[in-house]
Amino acid sequence: MSDIALRYLYETVMAGSMRAAGDRLGVAASSISRQVAQLELEYGMPLFERGRRTIQLTQAGELAIEHYRSLMASRESLSMRMEELREARTGMVSLGVGEGFLGPFFNQLIDRFHREHPQVQVLSTVTSSTAIVRSVLADEAHFGLVLYTPAEPNIRVRISVDEPLRVMVAPTHPLAGMARVSLADLVQHPICLGPEDFLIRQLLRTAEARQRLFLEPAIVINSIQAMRDLAATGSVTTVLPEFSARPEISDGRLLAIPLDETIDTVTVSLITRIGRQLESAPRRLLTAFESGMARWAATASR
């Protein structure tokens, strides 16, 4: 079924004759006649009632016109939806994020994006860095925020920021007045840490092995929010990147004290899959995160 032939049929009906349709389209009436005849041959039925002075469609002709109008409406709808996607007026963005990122930095970026693109759905999945890398590689997430630099050949690190670890204590805790805290100090007080597969726990284990001092956490939990809340009670300490507890630090519920051991910083990385071209809404939100992390890095370097 030729779109050109269907259009010629439609224009003939609208104009009232093949000659008038030809004038409107700038083609010979004989060309229109040949295209309509080809349609009739393809359908196996006449589309016009012959012998009339005006154009009169058969039932087959009416069906063909109805199909053409439906086709044009669908194309117009597709064009409008493509334009909406191009301008990021609609669509969906999927990203993976670690729990420690859920704070002012993340929330303000998402809020600003939503205000600028209210019809775009943002799907944020809070999970581990390992799971985020898997979802980015599988194209389940457009991009992700992870707490390390993945050694994965198909992952592109768009931008990264180094953050030192801090001992988090309540203002009433015995360690609160110290300028720096050592592992020797930490082992003297109850501590709350993540499970062994947490990156922070692995970094601490390396420092413990060097010092031959080993932390035995009183509480092991896989929630950074719970670590912050428990530390704020004053009964335990915890170790986190400073950005993970900024709200509690800002309102005075927690103090962030440097560790005096040489412990590797954690690296916050914004990642995408190599070769994946992000367009429209995903690209705009990714750009917003890149800009936000660039400001973050500039502040951290001061």
Side-chain angles (χ1 to χ4, degrees):
M1 186 188 304
S2 167
D3 286 354
I4 294 177
L6 281 172
R7 185 188 178 195
Y8 284 180
L9 173 65
Y10 176 79
E11 293 293 345
T12 297
V13 173
M14 293 298 100
S17 71
M18 290 184 182
R19 183 179 297 277
D23 291 342
R24 178 184 295 184
L25 295 171
V27 299
S30 58
S31 295
I32 294 177
S33 179
R34 282 195 301 272
Q35 290 286 345
V36 171
Q38 186 62 39
L39 272 182
E40 291 179 321
L41 182 63
E42 181 178 339
Y43 295 149
M45 290 181 289
L47 301 177
F48 295 119
E49 291 187 6
R50 301 303 195 258
R52 290 180 174 270
R53 298 185 62 181
T54 58
I55 294 293
Q56 183 69 40
L57 291 171
T58 63
Q59 281 189 310
E62 289 174 353
L63 283 175
I65 292 296
E66 181 182 342
H67 170 73
Y68 179 76
R69 285 175 172 151
S70 176
L71 182 64
M72 291 301 101
S74 295
R75 287 182 177 175
E76 182 179 0
S77 175
L78 176 61
S79 178
M80 291 175 62
R81 292 174 65 185
M82 289 294 187
E83 177 66 19
E84 289 173 348
L85 278 175
R86 191 161 46 246
E87 298 300 322
R89 293 197 296 268
T90 62
M92 186 271 287
V93 187
S94 175
L95 66 149
V97 59
E99 183 191 5
F101 298 104
L102 301 181
F105 169 76
F106 179 83
N107 296 339
Q108 288 167 13
L109 282 174
I110 294 297
D111 179 65
R112 186 180 305 115
F113 182 82
H114 170 68
R115 291 174 183 275
E116 294 172 355
H117 310 282
Q119 300 304 313
V120 175
Q121 182 186 45
V122 178
L123 177 60
S124 301
T125 301
V126 179
T127 185
S128 68
S129 290
T130 301
I132 292 168
V133 171
R134 285 199 301 264
S135 68
V136 169
L137 286 171
D139 288 349
E140 294 167 356
H142 290 106
F143 60 91
L145 272 174
V146 296
L147 204 56
Y148 70 110
T149 300
E152 167 57 57
N154 291 317
I155 286 291
R156 176 184 176 188
V157 176
R158 311 284 303 206
I159 187 172
S160 61
V161 181
D162 289 336
E163 280 276 319
L165 294 174
R166 296 286 187 252
V167 177
M168 302 292 173
V169 298
T172 57
H173 194 277
L175 296 177
M178 301 185 68
R180 303 185 76 83
V181 174
S182 67
L183 283 178
D185 297 321
L186 282 179
V187 298
Q188 301 301 316
H189 300 275
I191 190 169
C192 174
L193 294 173
E196 292 287 350
D197 61 350
F198 268 40
L199 176 66
I200 294 170
R201 189 74 183 273
Q202 294 167 14
L203 293 174
L204 286 171
R205 281 296 188 205
T206 302
E208 291 167 36
R210 285 198 301 264
Q211 296 288 318
R212 304 302 299 170
L213 291 169
F214 296 95
L215 298 169
E216 295 296 336
I219 301 173
V220 177
I221 194 164
N222 65 350
S223 168
I224 290 176
Q225 178 65 61
M227 292 181 204
R228 297 192 301 249
D229 291 344
L230 287 165
T233 67
S235 62
V236 296
T237 65
T238 193
V239 177
L240 292 170
E242 188 169 328
F243 72 83
S244 293
R246 284 215 174 99
E248 291 82 0
I249 295 169
S250 296
D251 64 22
R253 282 184 290 156
L254 286 177
L255 302 176
I257 306 175
L259 280 160
D260 72 357
E261 316 301 336
T262 305
I263 295 179
D264 291 337
T265 59
V266 292
T267 302
V268 179
S269 297
L270 180 66
I271 62 170
T272 58
R273 178 177 65 78
I274 288 177
R276 187 174 190 186
Q277 300 298 315
L278 298 183
E279 300 294 338
S280 306
R283 176 177 52 78
R284 293 191 183 202
L285 185 55
L286 175 66
T287 300
F289 269 89
E290 286 180 315
S291 298
M293 289 185 66
R295 292 192 295 272
W296 178 358
T299 301
S301 65
R302 290 174 187 171

